[in-house]
Amino acid sequence: MFGKKCSLCGGKLDGRGICTECGLDNTKNDKAYHTGQNRCENQPLTHVHTENTMEAGEAKRKTIRKTSGEAGYTGKAEHTNPTISGRRTSQSYTSMRNPKKKRGCSLFLFVFILIIIGIFVFSSILDNIDLVDRIQYEWEGLFEEDYSEEYNSEWEERDPYADVTREIPAEGSEESYILTSGCYIVGVHIPEGIYQADMEDDFDVIQVDDPEQNIYLYEYRYLEEENNCHLDDLRLYEGAVLYVETKTQAVLSTSNAQPLKEQAIGNPLTQEYNLKGTVRAGEDFEPGVYDLELVSGEGYITFYLLMDEEYDYAIENTLSLGEAFDTGSCYKNLVIPEGAELRCDSGVELRLTPSDIISSTDYRSFYETY
């Protein structure tokens, strides 16, 4: 800005075009400033101000700087020049400060970060599906009424024979069967009939699964105290499966046993196996129907059969063998298809003996039916 003077007061300009006298930025277009008339208007640009005028110029610079700082948030500022023309004149200009930033950007960034954190947390939760199920269960429980007590009451009062499609004939033969723990098919191991069960222990269990007649029973003598026991009225239809769990034996008697209609067949297997640890049918022994007998030790034997690999659907049941357990030391007629596993507790040794009679060699179909 060499050789140029301030367009407002005629003072010297520094290297940035700022007047050293009044502080005006002479690099701005004249349209940005609106000034009043003053007595220096008709004077040459090189004229010299008096001492009073110089002092007024210094006051002017301070006023402009102070007011600019105060006006930075509004975008406009008004200043008063007290000495240039001997009267007060107003001067307006647009402040070059940046406008105040809006909070919307910061809020958006904050929400975005929360979403990212939520995604990571939710992904880690999904790695534990049991936890997800538990959370869902607890959440639903907050908004649902507890029907469990009402449901259990209705189930206890339900007539288990309400859906039968036919009645068992009243006439038949008198029969009695001594059964240890095991799985028995009506029409193969015992005939159809209406039975009474004599159990030695109050907690010996008779369970009946009959999908065709929609009969599902889980009976033990202790239920007699609640007048809800069907051990004296076991209606066993042909094709039903009877599960017995007893330390010793259960005696089933009937006065109307029906002729056997299903053709029982002899077991084609003859080889016995002594097994420990985890064993697999088709690899460690032949698939088939076996009687399990405890040779040594006692504990749990887990039966595991994968039914559908795609949907990860499997059947898993646990047997307990030994003097300390309700099942006793043996279990009859366990159907073991190819691929099924027996997982024995440490110290447990089993003997697998082929059962005497079976209903079919299609072992997997048993679990598809029941």
Side-chain angles (χ1 to χ4, degrees):
M1 293 298 176
F2 296 103
K4 292 188 177 183
K5 301 296 181 178
C6 177
S7 61
L8 179 63
C9 69
K12 294 181 180 181
L13 305 182
D14 62 14
R16 297 174 297 163
I18 305 299
C19 178
T20 61
E21 299 294 334
C22 68
L24 181 67
D25 187 350
N26 281 262
T27 62
K28 307 300 180 183
N29 191 293
D30 288 343
K31 293 180 179 180
Y33 302 96
H34 304 280
T35 63
Q37 299 296 319
N38 61 78
R39 66 183 183 179
C40 299
E41 181 176 353
N42 298 323
Q43 299 294 328
L45 294 178
T46 58
H47 79 281
V48 179
H49 288 261
T50 64
E51 183 178 351
N52 291 338
T53 304
M54 296 289 288
E55 293 176 355
E58 180 65 20
K60 171 65 178 178
R61 286 199 302 274
K62 293 181 180 179
T63 303
I64 291 176
R65 289 171 184 168
K66 179 178 179 181
T67 311
S68 298
E70 295 172 351
Y73 289 98
T74 62
K76 288 189 176 182
E78 249 187 35
H79 302 282
T80 302
N81 188 334
T83 61
I84 291 179
S85 61
R87 66 182 183 276
R88 292 184 177 273
T89 60
S90 62
Q91 172 192 349
S92 300
Y93 69 93
T94 303
S95 172
M96 301 307 294
R97 287 177 175 246
N98 293 329
K100 185 178 181 181
K101 295 183 179 179
K102 297 182 179 180
R103 299 178 58 187
C105 181
S106 300
L107 180 59
F108 174 78
L109 181 61
F110 178 73
V111 173
F112 178 76
I113 293 174
L114 284 182
I115 292 174
I116 295 299
I117 295 174
I119 291 174
F120 278 107
V121 172
F122 186 70
S123 299
S124 64
I125 290 177
L126 287 180
D127 292 336
N128 190 340
I129 193 63
D130 292 336
L131 178 59
V132 174
D133 291 341
R134 181 63 180 174
I135 292 174
Q136 181 180 359
Y137 174 79
E138 295 293 343
W139 177 261
E140 291 176 352
L142 294 175
F143 302 98
E144 294 182 359
E145 296 183 23
D146 185 8
Y147 296 105
S148 58
E149 184 175 348
E150 180 180 353
Y151 175 80
N152 290 336
S153 178
E154 290 179 356
W155 178 258
E156 291 173 357
E157 296 175 359
R158 172 184 175 271
D159 181 3
Y161 306 120
D163 299 325
V164 297
T165 58
R166 64 181 179 85
E167 296 295 332
I168 300 175
E171 301 296 327
S173 61
E174 291 189 5
E175 303 289 347
S176 182
Y177 300 91
I178 299 176
L179 306 177
T180 58
S181 294
C183 171
Y184 303 90
I185 300 176
V186 179
V188 175
H189 300 100
I190 60 175
E192 180 179 278
I194 300 175
Y195 287 82
Q196 295 79 44
D198 183 14
M199 317 294 287
E200 292 192 2
D201 189 272
D202 284 345
F203 292 95
D204 287 348
V205 175
I206 293 288
Q207 180 179 338
V208 179
D209 287 353
D210 187 351
E212 184 176 349
Q213 299 296 329
N214 196 28
I215 298 174
Y216 298 95
L217 299 174
Y218 190 87
E219 307 294 325
Y220 49 96
R221 188 62 66 184
Y222 185 78
L223 289 177
E224 283 184 326
E225 296 183 3
E226 301 180 6
N227 299 318
N228 197 33
C229 183
H230 296 85
L231 288 177
D232 293 332
D233 183 21
L234 293 174
R235 304 180 195 181
L236 303 182
Y237 288 82
E238 189 168 334
V241 176
L242 177 73
Y243 298 95
V244 177
E245 182 179 302
T246 175
K247 283 185 177 181
T248 53
Q249 62 185 26
V251 179
L252 270 67
S253 304
T254 180
S255 59
N256 65 333
Q258 303 300 303
L260 294 174
K261 295 180 181 179
E262 288 196 10
Q263 184 64 42
I265 61 176
N267 197 330
L269 303 179
T270 58
Q271 185 177 351
E272 294 183 353
Y273 299 90
N274 278 29
L275 304 171
K276 294 180 179 181
T278 298
V279 292
R280 187 180 180 89
E283 297 178 5
D284 302 298
F285 61 95
E286 288 293 322
V289 182
Y290 291 92
D291 296 342
L292 277 62
E293 183 180 0
L294 192 63
V295 176
S296 62
E298 62 178 9
Y300 295 98
I301 297 92
T302 300
F303 172 88
Y304 178 85
L305 175 62
L306 181 62
M307 298 295 292
D308 192 317
E309 186 173 2
E310 180 180 358
Y311 294 98
D312 195 26
Y313 167 63
I315 294 173
E316 185 171 353
N317 295 317
T318 300
L319 301 174
S320 53
L321 297 181
E323 293 182 0
F325 299 102
D326 294 333
T327 312
S329 59
C330 65
Y331 191 89
K332 296 283 188 178
N333 307 315
L334 180 63
V335 182
I336 310 177
E338 184 171 3
E341 292 181 356
L342 294 179
R343 303 168 182 173
C344 304
D345 275 0
S346 177
V348 172
E349 182 178 359
L350 288 179
R351 177 179 294 115
L352 269 61
T353 303
S355 303
D356 293 334
I357 57 174
I358 63 176
S359 61
S360 171
T361 55
D362 185 3
Y363 308 121
R364 181 173 286 265
S365 66
F366 175 81
Y367 294 99
E368 292 173 345
T369 302
Y370 300 100

